Amino acid sequence: MPHVKRPSKLASKVRPSVLSAALIVAAVTAASAAIAPAHAVPVSEKRAAAAFEEPASEVRGTLPGGGRYVLHEPARWNGTVLMWNPGYGGAPEASAAPNPTVRGWLLSNGYALAGSTAAAGGWGVEGLIGNQPALLDAVESELGKPEFVVSWGSSMGGLTSVANMEAYPQMFDAALPLCGSVAGAIPMLNGSLDGAFVLKMLLAPGDNRLELVDVQDEPTRQAAFREVLDEAQATPAGRARIALAAAVAQLPSWTQAGTPEPSPRDYAAQQEQLYAAFMFGVISPRQPLEERAGGNFSWNTGVDYARSLDQSGQAKMVRSLYAEAGISLANDLKTVNTAGRVSADPVAVAYMQANATPLGDIDGPVLSLHETGDTAPTVTQAGTYAERVRRNGDNAFLRQAFVDRPGHCNFADAEIAAMVTTLQQRLDSGRWASLAHPATLNRLADRIAKEDNLGRGGSFSSFQPPRMLRPERAEGN
């Protein structure tokens, strides 16, 4: 008999949505349209008593909004469907898991898997959020009603997964963002603007190729920033100024996978890590996002960069490098603080609020996973998201896990499997208890790695993420 989705325990609690009312109406309208499968592999009777080793089925098709979808049915369904959201850029065909090994493990453990692409690639958050009702319709037409529906994804898809929780509180029971920009697009890109602004004002204020916003030529912009950055790295003064720009952007001081963590007082090694990560972590592509949003969505009006440095946690490193270079930090901060500022287009800001800058207002469990040395997004995203959730009185729903290493979305298969298992245990039991404690997660990942021969990776660690220096969702707020 089909599983029936449990009603929300907080069904009477009215929640504001990340999406505009118009977008929600459009998404629900799309969900009611017919879904056109491209092809379907014949499946056995739904949830028949079959061995896990029997082959899973796959269905692919096109959603009403123009995106593609995929659905994988396990031989014996456990009642939970995991609905995957891809990262920035994505692929032309939909996927339903971070990699084939994890997909196979999930199917063998009874999870149904679904995923979609946005009709337009790149920053496809709007399309991915809009896809969700139709994607769930596809799941229900093949499998029946799920008991639990989980939104998950990596990087931009991690952001989309928590945005889905707010857009459709009655549809999703939980979210599992991996390496996600969970605090949203606006604070993430304001942090990037801060780093780029400081670098330009101190190293090449008159170079018009270094477009900060309203970007007209992204390839030239990228090449110009690379040129200025590399030239600066060759001198002590340049290295100090790169460190200042990276500090206000809140890049971590250990960013490069496969390298040892710099010691706390090895400021030269820390600066090398910041330099290596600067292009990826700060000079992220803006032109495609601005075209999607209809203008510039970032600003630095009112920012005191001396205060930002003091609150960055890296002021000692920056001051030491400045002293070693024999240049004045006070003079550089004055230069930056008196430079002309950037204002945002309110229409573009509203678009990026909706697509997406979450409120942290949730009706079900969210379990996130982050690398402490991630640079895009930085782990500060976790701190700001947690603060928003606490402010909304929903802290009991949220748990955050961390692995203490550099990298972006480079999680081991056993780590991901442990996260999925933990979230399922929380859904089944209705309480967290010690499920998301690092020691518990490590024991679970060890067991999965041993029993199922999955890559283990490192260790889950206790970590208190800092908040973002720029947590705003709009200018002045």
Side-chain angles (χ1 to χ4, degrees):
M1 101 183 248
H3 291 276
V4 178
K5 186 174 185 287
R6 298 172 182 170
S8 169
K9 295 183 177 66
L10 298 178
S12 62
K13 189 174 182 182
V14 178
R15 293 295 193 183
S17 172
V18 170
L19 294 178
S20 65
L23 182 55
I24 293 176
V25 170
V28 173
T29 302
S32 64
I35 299 169
H39 67 272
V41 178
V43 298
S44 59
E45 185 176 343
K46 306 301 178 241
R47 284 178 302 284
F52 283 116
E53 59 268 19
E54 288 187 13
S57 69
E58 176 184 290
V59 176
R60 290 188 177 271
T62 302
L63 295 168
R68 304 283 294 166
Y69 79 90
V70 63
L71 168 62
H72 299 279
E73 180 183 4
R76 186 189 300 163
W77 188 27
N78 65 10
T80 295
V81 59
L82 304 175
M83 292 173 56
W84 177 255
N85 297 273
Y88 182 77
E93 280 298 329
S95 62
N99 63 59
T101 300
V102 170
R103 181 184 65 209
W105 184 89
L106 292 168
L107 289 168
S108 72
N109 281 272
Y111 291 95
L113 308 176
S116 69
T117 65
W123 191 257
V125 176
E126 178 182 11
L128 291 171
I129 295 173
N131 281 349
Q132 301 307 301
L135 183 58
L136 184 58
D137 274 0
V139 171
E140 293 184 349
S141 69
E142 289 293 322
L143 298 157
K145 286 188 176 295
E147 183 175 7
F148 295 116
V149 181
V150 176
S151 184
W152 72 316
S154 62
S155 196
M156 183 191 77
L159 163 61
T160 307
S161 69
V162 294
N164 285 337
M165 283 282 287
E166 296 184 16
Y168 308 111
Q170 297 304 311
M171 183 185 304
F172 290 103
D173 296 287
L176 180 61
L178 307 174
C179 53
S181 44
V182 290
I186 289 174
M188 177 176 67
L189 292 160
N190 271 348
S192 295
L193 172 62
D194 286 340
F197 181 83
V198 169
L199 193 81
K200 178 176 180 175
M201 293 305 111
L202 295 180
L203 295 176
D207 190 339
N208 292 331
R209 299 175 304 161
L210 304 182
E211 296 178 302
L212 295 174
V213 298
D214 296 318
V215 177
Q216 303 301 308
D217 188 343
E218 188 66 58
T220 296
R221 172 182 182 261
Q222 294 283 326
F225 268 108
R226 177 84 266 173
E227 176 186 317
V228 169
L229 189 73
D230 290 347
E231 183 177 336
Q233 186 66 12
T235 68
R239 290 193 290 272
R241 286 165 173 150
I242 291 170
L244 173 59
V248 300
Q250 293 187 281
L251 295 189
S253 58
W254 185 26
T255 66
Q256 301 304 295
T259 66
E261 182 177 10
S263 65
R265 293 183 179 274
D266 190 348
Y267 298 138
Q270 292 177 33
Q271 194 279 338
E272 284 281 350
Q273 296 274 323
L274 296 172
Y275 159 69
F278 199 90
M279 288 299 296
F280 179 72
V282 177
I283 312 301
S284 53
R286 280 186 176 270
Q287 187 174 9
L289 280 69
E290 290 179 340
E291 290 172 352
R292 189 74 62 90
N296 168 43
F297 40 76
S298 296
W299 67 92
N300 65 350
T301 49
V303 176
D304 180 343
Y305 286 105
R307 183 181 180 189
S308 295
L309 174 62
D310 287 341
Q311 295 179 344
S312 70
Q314 297 181 328
K316 286 184 178 180
M317 174 198 65
V318 172
R319 291 191 178 102
S320 175
L321 292 170
Y322 265 80
E324 182 180 324
I327 57 175
S328 171
L329 176 59
N331 286 347
D332 272 4
L333 288 170
K334 182 178 179 180
T335 296
V336 173
N337 274 340
T338 57
R341 297 306 176 93
V342 175
S343 293
D345 178 346
V347 173
V349 170
Y351 179 90
M352 295 304 273
Q353 283 179 332
N355 302 289
T357 304
L359 299 166
D361 209 355
I362 52 179
D363 277 344
V366 174
L367 176 61
S368 65
L369 179 60
H370 312 265
E371 293 124 320
T372 59
D374 200 344
T375 58
T378 67
V379 76
T380 58
Q381 285 258 338
T384 289
Y385 182 70
E387 184 179 85
R388 290 181 189 163
V389 170
R390 283 193 297 271
R391 192 162 57 239
N392 284 307
D394 294 329
N395 195 46
F397 285 127
L398 178 66
R399 293 294 183 271
Q400 296 178 311
F402 304 90
V403 288
D404 189 16
R405 62 171 180 256
H408 178 57
C409 303
N410 293 326
F411 301 117
D413 294 341
E415 291 169 345
I416 298 172
M419 293 291 287
V420 173
T421 302
T422 296
L423 186 57
Q424 183 68 58
Q425 291 170 339
R426 167 59 179 82
L427 288 169
D428 289 337
S429 68
R431 55 197 295 266
W432 284 112
S434 63
L435 289 174
H437 190 278
T440 308
L441 289 169
N442 279 322
R443 286 193 296 270
L444 178 57
D446 287 342
R447 179 177 63 77
I448 291 172
K450 181 178 180 180
E451 293 179 357
D452 298 332
N453 198 31
L454 294 186
R456 175 63 181 89
S459 294
F460 293 95
S461 303
S462 295
F463 181 75
Q464 184 62 44
R467 67 191 290 270
M468 304 182 84
L469 295 173
R470 303 283 308 281
E472 313 103 321
R473 299 185 76 254
E475 283 192 78
N477 184 17

